[in-house]
Amino acid sequence: QVQLVESGGGLVQAGGSLRLSCAASGRTVSGYAMGWFRQAPGKEREFVAASATNTIYADSVKGRFTISRDNNKNMVYLQMNSLKPEDTGVYYCAVRTAAWALPSSALYGYWGQGTQVTVSS
């Protein structure tokens, strides 16, 4: 089992930055894909970024968001710059027990509770 806890969300003005953190416990996740997803009110959960042997981003965040991880600490981060109101949502950390990152949420078996990000215009 893997437990995930996100932190770092909050309220920020458009153009600002936030850094999300996700702490994994229960087992080491260094060999697994770790990803970030988000869900806006009234919308389906969507892929944001993921890191494993490969690193992938949604087109909507490329050049603005950066995913990184510290395998020694069992942590994954999401640095979000140039935030836009459309980035508002609950951000979830997830783990896929495979060494290749893919954007489908159905492939991730472990999820955190989420952290709220609100970007005001």
Side-chain angles (χ1 to χ4, degrees):
Q1 291 291 330
V2 178
Q3 293 79 44
L4 302 170
V5 178
E6 304 95 337
S7 61
L11 173 64
V12 64
Q13 289 188 332
S17 298
L18 280 175
R19 187 192 192 213
L20 305 184
S21 300
C22 174
S25 61
R27 63 188 296 184
T28 183
V29 295
S30 60
Y32 296 152
M34 296 188 76
W36 289 96
F37 293 78
R38 68 187 180 190
Q39 187 166 19
K43 295 187 177 181
E44 293 187 353
R45 190 171 299 185
E46 65 174 3
F47 169 74
V48 175
S51 172
T53 304
N54 59 322
T55 301
I56 54 174
Y57 294 93
D59 288 343
S60 60
V61 306
K62 280 182 181 176
R64 300 188 298 122
F65 291 10
T66 302
I67 187 171
S68 62
R69 54 195 297 172
D70 185 337
N71 288 329
N72 290 328
K73 296 182 178 179
N74 248 15
M75 297 283 295
V76 66
Y77 307 95
L78 186 68
Q79 178 66 44
M80 306 186 294
N81 299 328
S82 302
L83 282 160
K84 304 175 181 180
E86 51 263 44
D87 294 317
T88 294
V90 178
Y91 282 68
Y92 298 90
C93 174
V95 168
R96 176 180 187 235
T97 53
W100 193 256
L102 291 169
S104 173
S105 61
L107 298 174
Y108 290 75
Y110 299 99
W111 292 84
Q113 293 299 307
T115 185
Q116 176 71 44
V117 171
T118 304
V119 184
S120 63
S121 58

